[in-house]
Amino acid sequence: SRPTRAEWVRIAIFGIPYAVFFLVGVPTWIFPASWSLTAINIGLDTILLIMALAFFGREFFPAFTYLRTRPVRKIAILFGLWFLVTAIQAASRIALYGHNQPIAENQQAVINAIFDGGTGLVFCFFVAIGVPMVEEIFYRHILIGKLSTYAPTWLVASISAALFAYMHCHQWQDFFTYLPLSIVLTLVYVMSGKNVAYSWLFHALNNTIMVILMFAMQGVLQNA
């Protein structure tokens, strides 16, 4: 069914601020110069997460009933897809950069924030759990789930996947390294019957593994 007027109000209150940040970036100029970028990001992510939970929590949490049947198989599929995406991303980066691959600017920003003192641990929560929830509600639940009542699913899904990959870009090569993840997230959402909890699980799995690997690599470098 098409969204009601009340649903459109919730979508606008949550979606417009997120879209503004997506288009113009974090407005660091409105904050005191003494504030760290990590703290600013945590504050903005907190606001967006609270809005996502307040406006869409009643739709998000019941979606976990999808795991009542064959939960082991469904979780195993997510791990298999993660290995597939990782392999495709690695191949894409080799094709773009060769074997001397630079660290993507988006990933470098995350690394800097994660190891930014005590706030870095809080930032880890948002990278692994909070931000995936915000992004899945916006890119999948709204752009596909809500808008597919007005346009073909393949069209809104394609737009969603392209926007998600573009949102993570700092240079044009980033688009092709993030596109495989974006496509798989979109397929997970659509093929599960537009289940936002299942796509969030895959997104959270990917980001959690990424955070763990960053800490592991930092430990190896320190020991070396």
Side-chain angles (χ1 to χ4, degrees):
S1 60
R2 293 187 174 184
T4 63
R5 182 176 300 179
E7 286 180 298
W8 275 118
V9 171
R10 291 188 287 119
I11 290 171
I13 295 174
F14 167 74
I16 291 175
Y18 182 87
V20 169
F21 293 141
F22 164 67
L23 291 172
V24 303
V26 178
T28 55
W29 55 271
I30 67 176
F31 298 98
S34 59
W35 288 25
S36 72
L37 182 59
T38 304
I40 293 172
N41 276 312
I42 288 174
L44 294 176
D45 288 340
T46 300
I47 294 172
L48 290 171
L49 181 58
I50 290 173
M51 287 197 297
L53 291 172
F55 296 147
F56 303 99
R58 292 183 179 180
E59 301 168 36
F60 176 79
F61 291 109
F64 281 97
T65 57
Y66 180 73
L67 295 175
R68 285 182 177 175
T69 59
R70 299 180 177 178
V72 175
R73 176 183 176 183
K74 290 174 180 176
I75 296 299
I77 288 174
L78 297 184
F79 277 95
L81 288 173
W82 180 83
F83 281 107
L84 176 63
V85 169
T86 302
I88 295 174
Q89 285 180 321
S92 299
R93 290 185 63 82
I94 291 174
L96 289 168
Y97 299 106
H99 292 283
N100 296 321
Q101 302 175 26
I103 298 177
E105 189 172 341
N106 183 67
Q107 292 180 350
Q108 186 61 58
V110 171
I111 293 172
N112 295 339
I114 285 176
F115 297 104
D116 186 10
T119 55
L121 296 177
V122 180
F123 189 75
C124 287
F125 163 79
F126 282 98
V127 171
I129 306 298
V131 171
M133 183 181 295
V134 172
E135 292 181 347
E136 288 310 302
I137 288 175
F138 182 81
Y139 290 100
R140 255 63 68 177
H141 187 58
I142 293 176
L143 293 187
I144 302 177
K146 300 297 184 182
L147 297 186
S148 61
T149 58
Y150 300 94
T153 298
W154 68 265
L155 177 60
V156 291
S158 299
I159 294 172
S160 170
L163 286 177
F164 180 84
Y166 178 75
M167 185 269 291
H168 291 83
C169 289
H170 289 273
Q171 52 189 5
W172 68 267
Q173 293 95 333
D174 294 340
F175 182 83
F176 296 100
T177 57
Y178 279 99
L179 189 60
L181 173 63
S182 183
I183 291 174
V184 172
L185 280 168
T186 302
L187 289 175
V188 167
Y189 176 75
V190 173
M191 299 303 291
S192 63
K194 299 177 182 176
N195 190 286
V196 67
Y198 195 51
S199 64
W200 170 81
L201 278 174
F202 180 63
H203 199 157
L205 171 68
N206 176 80
N207 287 20
T208 299
I209 293 175
M210 180 183 70
V211 170
I212 293 173
L213 290 176
M214 287 179 181
F215 275 106
M217 291 174 62
Q218 182 71 8
V220 169
L221 292 174
Q222 289 178 348
N223 292 332

